[in-house]
Amino acid sequence: MKAHKGFDNMLKRIAVVLLIGIIAFAYQITTPPPPNLCGSPGGPPVTGPRVTLRDGRHLAYNEYGVTRETANYKIVFVHGFSSCRFDESLFHQELFEKLKIYMVTFDRPGYGESDPDPKRTIKSLALDMEELADKLELGDKFYVIGYSMGQQGAWGSLKYIPHRLAGVALIAPVVNYWWSSFPANLSLEAYKLQPRQDQFAVGVSHYAPWLVYWWNTQRWFPGSSVIAGKPNFSASDWDLISKLRGDGSPEPIPTQKDYVRQQGLEESIFMDMKVGFGKWEFDPMEIENPFPEKEGSVHLWHGDEDGLVPVSLQRYIVKKLPWIHYHELPGVGHLLPNYDGKKEAILKSLLLGEY
């Protein structure tokens, strides 16, 4: 009997050790490495201008167009997923000079050379943008343009700093399937239009954000197609990419991926997924018109062939928010501003009211 009891106790000890080992292993594989902060010992160098924010963080930025002092129009551009302050999707040198446009782009927190913000929310990003505008002395009001996942800054500005806005444009804005105003059948139908691997990646971001790092770095299951460099672009997007490359190649256009992610995957793209597809503090479809006297305008641009963001969801959003000027473009995909004439149309509609 004593031998049996001793054996049982040994099994219990082994079970406890195994359980501890499993927990430790799970913690290890789901915990990202510490950030590699810009300007820190051994970290990436700071190569461009940055402003210091209210909490001591730094925000890196880049400027396009005419000087702030001579500009008729001042724009804060919010880049998309896995992009950075060097995104020139909306830069049109001839038009910028003609209309005297100034545009500042910035690395969103954790991207490029902007310090990570582990507490980042839609609201904190909007306040970062407002503080950037104040540091650069852009004046009482400025325009905001958010492209793709940059919609976080555009919707956040409409919600939290509407008094600072001269106008807003959302270009191919990524949609959170869990915004409460969406009918369940509509959001589910749109959700299922995505490749299966993206359904899982987005679902993990919403329901189990603590697993985002592991899910997109493990090799057992396919993670996000966008992170893997094989996004669900439309045929029209791939044709455009081939033309822009100039060599007939269908491969994606190289980006500054190393720069974008240099402080860590968790701090940049994974945080983006958690914030973008997590629980928002508000539903964009409940935002009130920021320009009741038509002193400014809000525009939403979307291609009906967008393979990353189903057009059905944008159509529902603009029905709920009739004060948004909706521009749906046939035969256009997610790379909307890169199609012929589209960046000019976006800028003229926002700044000049040419619809």
Side-chain angles (χ1 to χ4, degrees), residues 47-74:
T47 63
R50 305 199 299 179
V51 297
T52 303
L53 301 175
R54 60 198 175 280
D55 58 2
R57 287 182 296 113
H58 296 93
L59 209 64
Y61 66 92
N62 205 31
E63 298 174 292
Y64 295 91
V66 302
T67 64
R68 289 170 249 159
E69 294 75 20
T70 61
N72 291 330
Y73 306 98
K74 299 172 183 177

Side-chain angles (χ1 to χ4, degrees), residues 130-131 133-134 138-143 161-167:
E130 181 180 33
E131 192 165 1
D134 288 340
L138 299 191
D140 294 336
K141 292 183 180 290
F142 50 88
Y143 294 88
I161 57 169
H163 57 289
R164 301 299 306 273
L165 303 176

Side-chain angles (χ1 to χ4, degrees), residues 197-229:
Q197 67 188 91
D198 290 334
Q199 293 179 34
F200 279 109
V202 170
V204 167
S205 300
H206 183 79
Y207 292 110
W210 51 276
L211 270 181
V212 168
Y213 176 82
W214 175 79
W215 186 265
N216 289 286
T217 55
Q218 51 77 34
R219 298 181 180 180
W220 298 338
F221 314 104
S224 164
S225 68
V226 178
I227 293 176

